[in-house]
């Protein structure tokens, strides 16, 4: 069974989708079978990995609401070993439609259980909220990566997210772990970046990834070409950062995956 990792933070613009796309692509480049589950109605992971919305026949929404089989929603990408379960704007209404469902918090979990043994890693790109879609993602996941941007107000709202994670651990998913806090948008030249990095490390210590994602133009440009950084510019700083993050993750979990 593959490891299901949610990438969550209710703050927007912290690098969730960038992390979902580039971590998944880097794991795939390291010969792991990977899928991105785009659980964000903005569908930025779907467009950012190069999926043409006109080609999509089945989405995460269809699986959640209409009971479509997840295998129907799987699409290949331009990266070998990397698939995606795409999203589109329909997902906006999913939370309301799920409200009356029995065991509404576990719908995504039951969907992913049907395909998890076909992949080494299942990466869920969460929406920037703590609504029912994010609760579903955290209930389905083995662990959560929390991106924290090295900018002003970086730690704002983290308490609310950690509280949500605790509630889910107590009531819905006792095995949920915090995979780690990932520092993003780091600029070594800025005093503020260094202060935030220092603060996050002081607060969360060994829960912070060794790898730091540096601010990088190529990383920002790549989604507009429908490519992860590793395809757009494999030598760019952003691409190398995410490859290092993927290696750090594999190093941590490979013994577990092989047993």
């Amino acid at each position: 069974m593959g490891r299901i990792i949610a990438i969550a933070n209710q703050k927007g613009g912290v690098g969730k989708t960038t992390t979902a796309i580039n971590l998944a692509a880097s794991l795939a480049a390291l010969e792991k079978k990977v899928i991105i589950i785009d659980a964000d109605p903005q569908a930025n992971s779907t467009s950012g990995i190069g999926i043409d919305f006109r080609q999509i026949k089945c989405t995460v929404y269809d699986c959640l609401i209409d009971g479509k089989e997840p295998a129907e929603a799987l699409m290949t990408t331009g990266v070998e070993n990397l698939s995606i379960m795409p999203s589109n704007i329909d997902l906006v209404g999913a939370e309301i439609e799920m409200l009356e469902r029995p065991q509404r918090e576990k719908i995504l979990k039951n969907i992913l259980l049907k395909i998890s043994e076909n992949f080494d890693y299942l990466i869920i790109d969460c929406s920037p909220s703590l609504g029912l879609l994010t609760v579903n993602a955290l209930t389905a996941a083995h662990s959560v990566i929390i991106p924290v941007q090295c900018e002003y107000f970086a730690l704002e709202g983290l308490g609310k997210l950690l509280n949500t994670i605790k509630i889910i651990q107590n009531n819905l998913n006792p095995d949920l772990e915090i995979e780690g806090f990932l520092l993003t948008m780091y600029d070594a030249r800025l005093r503020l970046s260094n202060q935030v990095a220092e603060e996050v490390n002081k607060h969360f210590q060994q829960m912070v990834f060794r790898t730091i994602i540096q601010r990088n133009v190529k990383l920002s440009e790549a989604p507009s070409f429908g490519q992860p950084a590793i395809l757009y510019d494999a030598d760019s700083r952003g691409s190398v950062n995410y490859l290092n993050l993927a290696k750090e993750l594999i190093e941590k979990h490979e013994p577990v995956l092989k047993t």
Side-chain angles (χ1 to χ4, degrees):
M1 184 176 172
R3 186 167 185 85
I4 302 170
I5 302 174
I7 298 175
N9 190 328
Q10 77 273 26
K11 269 175 73 71
V14 298
K16 279 190 301 294
T17 297
T18 300
T19 297
I21 292 172
N22 289 289
L23 174 58
S26 297
L27 287 165
L30 295 167
E31 301 184 344
K32 303 297 166 192
K33 285 205 73 181
V34 189
I35 181 168
I36 300 170
I37 295 92
D38 192 348
D40 184 351
Q42 294 174 87
N44 290 334
S45 278
T46 301
S47 59
I49 203 72
I51 299 295
D52 182 346
F53 286 105
R54 293 167 297 183
Q55 305 295 317
I56 298 172
K57 293 183 172 64
C58 182
T59 67
V60 170
Y61 173 86
D62 299 306
C63 297
L64 288 170
I65 304 304
D66 298 331
K68 291 278 182 74
E69 288 299 313
E72 291 182 55
L74 299 191
M75 296 183 76
T76 55
T77 69
V79 180
E80 196 178 348
N81 299 320
L82 178 60
S83 303
I84 187 166
M85 190 182 285
S87 176
N88 62 17
I89 195 67
D90 291 349
L91 199 57
V92 166
E95 294 198 344
I96 295 166
E97 293 177 72
M98 289 160 73
L99 279 176
E100 301 301 318
R101 297 287 179 93
Q103 293 211 301
R104 61 192 181 190
E105 299 91 351
K106 296 187 176 179
I107 299 172
L108 184 60
K109 179 178 184 172
N110 294 329
I111 289 166
L112 297 186
L113 281 174
K114 295 180 180 179
I115 57 166
S116 63
E117 58 189 32
N118 301 328
F119 297 95
D120 297 313
Y121 291 93
L122 298 88
I123 307 290
I124 309 174
D125 183 17
C126 296
S127 62
S129 76
L130 293 178
L132 193 50
L133 282 172
T134 299
V135 168
N136 260 263
L138 294 173
T139 303
H142 295 111
S143 59
V144 53
I145 290 175
I146 302 170
V148 180
Q149 85 279 37
C150 294
E151 291 177 2
Y152 200 57
F153 294 135
L155 300 180
E156 191 186 64
L158 270 189
K160 197 176 280 188
L161 174 61
L162 293 174
N163 193 44
T164 300
I165 290 169
K166 190 170 284 186
I167 290 166
I168 286 165
Q169 287 168 331
N170 290 339
N171 299 291
L172 295 164
N173 184 3
D175 298 324
L176 179 66
E177 302 170 359
I178 293 178
E179 190 72 59
F181 292 84
L182 177 67
L183 292 164
T184 62
M185 304 178 195
Y186 176 77
D187 187 338
R189 297 166 301 179
L190 300 179
R191 183 188 297 169
L192 182 60
S193 274
N194 291 300
Q195 284 173 342
V196 172
E198 202 175 297
E199 190 92 351
V200 171
N201 277 292
K202 189 172 80 182
H203 270 79
F204 302 110
Q205 298 169 4
Q206 72 277 11
M207 294 168 77
V208 184
F209 282 104
R210 294 192 307 272
T211 305
I212 293 176
I213 309 301
Q214 293 164 287
R215 190 175 282 284
N216 179 243
V217 174
K218 300 290 184 184
L219 209 49
S220 305
E221 288 175 355
S224 60
F225 292 88
Q227 293 181 328
I230 204 162
L231 284 189
Y232 182 64
D233 185 348
D235 296 323
S236 68
R237 187 177 289 170
S239 176
V240 171
N241 288 165
Y242 276 108
L243 204 52
N244 288 337
L245 178 65
K247 287 174 183 170
E248 191 175 339
L249 206 56
I250 289 169
E251 195 181 290
K252 186 177 174 184
H253 293 296
E254 279 306 286
V256 177
L257 290 172
K258 283 174 183 170
T259 56

